[in-house]
Amino acid sequence: MSEYSTGEIAKLCGVTVRTVQYYDGRGILVPTSLSEGGRRLYSDSDLRRLKIICFLREVGLSLDSISELLSEEQPENVISLLLEQQETALRDEISEKKEKLDKLTELKKGLSKIEKPDSQDIGDMALIMENKKKLKKVYTNMLLVGIPLVAMELASIIIWIVTGIWWPFIAYLLVDIPFAILVSRYYLNSVAYICPQCHKVFKPTFKEAFWARHTLHARKLTCTECGHHGFCVETYGKEETENASD
């Protein structure tokens, strides 16, 4: 079994000798033995105890609370719960920092495609990145509706081909057309567009947006602010339009 002096155990746990002496005085880290010369000697068990004390101090527990906790019959149960909470907090922090790093990387990538980016270009890109999660939710909701509709369409076509019964396909069309209009309205009500000319966020009319030429993330529209007609970049539109002029 290893034995450690006050200085050695302090170094192993990253604390000062005075801190170890203070914990000894408080009775929460009593050395296992004394040398013939009266020096305090700490065991591996004492080392583990000091590491636990240091951790509990890091998560905000007072020394009185630590003393009460370590005096329990099964302190490991509470300590295990605290460790789980600390692990969750750290994972959340890592996830948050990774999200920020991804945003920074995407912003740099986008700016590299602009010859002379200005503050408005950066603002547009920041808005688009900020709203990506909200747009993703809109797309997910549309997929949840669209996949069953596509399955119904395929099933009605197969029935028509195999059995010659055509009325399920007609029934499907009678349901699908109004449903498709509702889904389109939901989608267009959930998005807005950024004008590349004046950088304002605007909402086109449903009719204009529905029939406009479009790519995956842009539509050819007329800006309601400056009148520019061209491809405008899609963003989430339920909140930002209220603050478009801020």
Side-chain angles (χ1 to χ4, degrees):
M1 182 178 69
S2 300
E3 291 185 325
Y4 309 94
S5 66
T6 301
E8 289 171 338
I9 197 172
K11 185 176 181 180
L12 288 170
C13 292
V15 297
T16 64
V17 170
R18 182 170 294 183
T19 297
V20 176
Q21 293 171 341
Y22 179 68
Y23 291 164
D24 183 7
R26 291 290 301 267
I28 60 175
L29 184 69
V30 179
T32 299
S33 61
L34 297 174
S35 69
E36 293 181 359
R39 295 178 59 201
R40 290 170 170 77
L41 296 175
Y42 295 90
S43 65
D44 289 327
S45 178
D46 296 328
L47 177 61
R48 287 192 295 272
R49 186 180 178 91
L50 180 55
K51 287 181 178 180
I52 291 172
I53 293 170
C54 292
F55 163 73
L56 295 176
R57 290 292 288 158
E58 286 181 5
V59 298
L61 268 67
S62 66
L63 286 178
D64 289 336
S65 298
I66 293 172
S67 178
E68 291 179 8
L69 176 60
L70 294 179
S71 65
E72 293 285 328
E73 289 185 5
Q74 293 182 317
E76 64 274 6
N77 292 338
V78 179
I79 293 171
S80 177
L81 180 60
L82 290 170
L83 286 170
E84 288 179 7
Q85 291 178 335
Q86 182 73 352
E87 181 183 10
T88 300
L90 288 172
R91 289 188 184 280
D92 289 343
E93 184 179 343
I94 291 170
S95 177
E96 182 180 346
K97 290 186 181 297
K98 183 180 183 303
E99 185 177 345
K100 289 181 179 179
L101 179 61
D102 290 342
K103 286 183 178 180
L104 179 62
T105 302
E106 191 169 350
L107 180 59
K108 288 176 65 178
K109 183 179 178 181
L111 289 177
S112 66
K113 298 177 181 179
I114 303 174
E115 186 175 350
K116 293 182 179 180
D118 56 25
S119 59
Q120 289 182 318
D121 292 322
I122 295 173
D124 289 348
M125 292 184 63
L127 179 62
I128 292 167
M129 289 189 297
E130 181 183 343
N131 290 330
K132 265 195 168 183
K133 280 188 176 180
K134 297 175 183 177
L135 277 175
K136 187 176 180 180
K137 186 176 180 180
V138 173
Y139 298 150
T140 301
N141 291 339
M142 292 175 64
L143 279 174
L144 290 175
V145 174
I147 290 174
L149 288 176
V150 172
M152 288 173 57
E153 180 183 13
L154 291 174
S156 65
I157 292 173
I158 291 172
I159 291 171
W160 191 356
I161 294 172
V162 174
T163 67
I165 301 174
W166 52 267
W167 66 262
F169 179 73
I170 301 301
Y172 162 79
L173 288 179
L174 293 175
V175 173
D176 180 58
I177 293 174
F179 216 84
I181 294 173
L182 287 174
V183 171
S184 298
R185 190 172 291 278
Y186 162 75
Y187 165 66
L188 293 174
N189 283 340
S190 300
V191 299
Y193 294 88
I194 304 173
C195 174
Q197 191 73 24
C198 67
H199 299 275
K200 292 293 184 178
V201 181
F202 71 96
K203 268 187 171 292
T205 63
F206 175 80
K207 181 179 179 181
E208 181 187 12
F210 186 82
W211 295 108
R213 289 175 54 198
H214 61 88
T215 64
L216 190 59
H217 299 297
R219 283 180 186 266
K220 196 167 187 178
L221 303 166
T222 300
C223 175
T224 57
E225 294 286 336
C226 68
H228 170 76
H229 183 70
F231 279 100
C232 300
V233 180
E234 183 181 86
T235 185
Y236 185 77
K238 285 190 175 179
E239 297 174 1
E240 285 68 20
T241 51
E242 298 173 5
N243 302 317
S245 58
D246 292 351

